[in-house]
Amino acid sequence: MRTIEQVTAMQAWGREVRGRDHARVALVPTMGALHDGHLSLVEIARHHADRVVASVFVNPAQFDRTDDFERYPRDLERDGALLAAAGVDVLFAPPTVEMYPPDAQTFVTVEDLSQPLCGAHRPGHFRGVATVVLKLLNIVQPNVAVFGEKDYQQLALIRRMARDLHLEVDIVGAPIVREVDGLAMSSRNRHLSAAERAAAICLSRALGAAEQLMAGGERDAATIAAAAASELGRERLARPEYVAVVDPDTLQPLTTVFERALLALAVWIGSTRLIDNRVLAAPASGRERRSA
Ligand code: AMP
């Protein structure tokens, strides 16, 4: 595996493999502190392309809190070893000044999809995400880029950006990878104390409670959200930021769930903010019962 830090060197590599080898290239953007969730994206990328580039860049533009940026876990040596073992061809790990020269003044905003859910609580976050992802796509020019459904809103707005800006890239979504007890893997899980780690399973429990309610025929979005919130309420260390039942495509609030809904959660456990989500599907029999 080759490690590249400079934008021009990354661009030259891309030109060469596309021109000389006619290779299909996949990109997996990350912020490092890798776990099995990231590695599952690499695995998917390998199925879609001849060469895989993984980027590790802790993007300052997407952090709404300096303390979060400063304490974000960084471990490039370990990340490099994991990516090499996973069959990645290039680790792109640019310093900040390469991605954001001091005089940079162009940013990208995906208007409506940036507003709800995390966007309402993290000002500027999705502007930073869209900007860095567009930069990475322009630098690497991959045929495919893989993103996790763990960050559902991010995936939705990247798909929208690719469509709106006529990017020649397939955006592929990857399922959420979880610890055995259900906690969605996240680099921020490293911040949790033992007690907080135990408390953090309340997020997946809340998703499960809502899913069960829907399986039982419930279609009222407020009732479904309340079931999830009440599960979170049983955990003393949890402070929910939002619990939302929204349309999986537009991310706008639903009052009634007809076929599918996204249940999305953001919850503070101590000083760590965790997110999780699940697409809830009304069982076909329930739909029939309802319309009968
Ligand atoms: P991050 O390093 O947190 O910015 O994440 C980089 C990519 O990995 C994003 O596309 C995330 O959605 C994805 N990702 C992070 N955690 C998981 C997970 N538990 N399962 C699947 N994908 C994930």
Side-chain angles (χ1 to χ4, degrees):
M1 185 185 74
R2 196 172 146 194
T3 300
I4 295 180
E5 293 188 353
Q6 281 188 320
V7 168
T8 50
M10 189 67 247
Q11 288 168 322
W13 179 90
R15 266 197 308 277
E16 192 176 313
V17 295
R18 275 190 308 273
R20 188 195 60 197
D21 306 340
H22 304 290
R24 271 177 68 79
V25 175
L27 172 66
V28 179
T30 82
M31 296 208 299
L34 301 180
H35 49 66
D36 285 349
H38 297 114
L39 298 178
S40 76
L41 270 50
V42 170
E43 188 58 30
I44 292 170
R46 275 157 45 97
H47 284 105
H48 280 86
D50 311 304
R51 302 276 197 289
V52 176
V53 177
S55 60
V56 171
F57 179 63
V58 184
N59 173 31
Q62 73 185 69
F63 284 81
D64 53 312
R65 292 179 302 121
T66 340
D67 60 321
D68 189 26
F69 176 66
E70 278 163 5
R71 76 169 188 154
Y72 198 84
R74 292 164 172 88
D75 198 343
L76 194 59
E77 211 170 303
R78 178 176 170 275
D79 291 346
L82 289 171
L83 293 172
V88 164
D89 297 277
V90 173
L91 161 57
F92 180 48
T96 304
V97 62
E98 279 284 307
M99 295 298 280
Y100 296 100
D103 56 349
Q105 51 178 296
T106 305
F107 291 84
V108 185
T109 303
V110 181
E111 304 273 338
D112 293 353
L113 286 174
S114 295
Q115 299 298 323
L117 308 178
C118 290
H121 298 272
R122 302 188 65 190
H125 169 67
F126 286 119
R127 174 183 186 255
V129 168
T131 301
V132 81
V133 170
L134 183 59
K135 281 170 180 273
L136 290 167
L137 293 173
N138 280 336
I139 294 165
V140 178
Q141 300 207 9
N143 303 87
V144 180
V146 188
F147 297 86
E149 288 167 0
K150 156 92 185 335
D151 300 275
Y152 189 101
Q153 187 172 13
Q154 167 176 289
L155 172 59
L157 75 90
I158 288 165
R159 282 192 203 283
R160 168 59 62 175
M161 175 179 76
R163 216 186 315 162
D164 289 350
L165 298 182
H166 316 283
L167 304 183
E168 280 194 291
V169 62
D170 289 335
I171 304 298
V172 172
I176 302 176
V177 176
R178 297 176 178 281
E179 304 285 357
V180 278
D181 65 359
L183 175 64
M185 290 190 184
S186 163
S187 305
R188 288 189 177 87
N189 292 350
R190 293 185 183 198
H191 296 319
L192 301 170
S193 68
E196 290 169 348
R197 171 64 187 82
I201 57 168
C202 67
L203 280 86
S204 57
R205 283 217 185 114
L207 297 176
E211 193 168 52
Q212 250 184 359
L213 204 61
M214 258 196 70
E218 185 58 60
R219 296 291 174 268
D220 180 58
T223 309
I224 295 165
S230 125
E231 193 62 43
L232 296 173
R234 286 151 49 100
E235 178 46 67
R236 194 176 50 83
L237 295 178
R239 281 178 297 120
E241 186 178 84
Y242 67 77
V243 176
V245 175
V246 299
D247 180 290
D249 300 317
T250 63
L251 307 185
Q252 291 305 308
L254 290 174
T255 40
T256 307
V257 181
F258 292 107
E259 291 194 5
R260 288 183 335 129
L262 173 74
L263 173 59
L265 312 173
V267 180
W268 289 88
I269 307 281
S271 59
T272 305
R273 181 180 180 276
L274 301 178
I275 57 171
D276 203 347
N277 71 79
R278 190 164 299 172
V279 175
L280 307 174
S285 59
R287 279 180 233 158
E288 281 156 24
R289 256 206 316 276
R290 185 93 177 174
S291 56

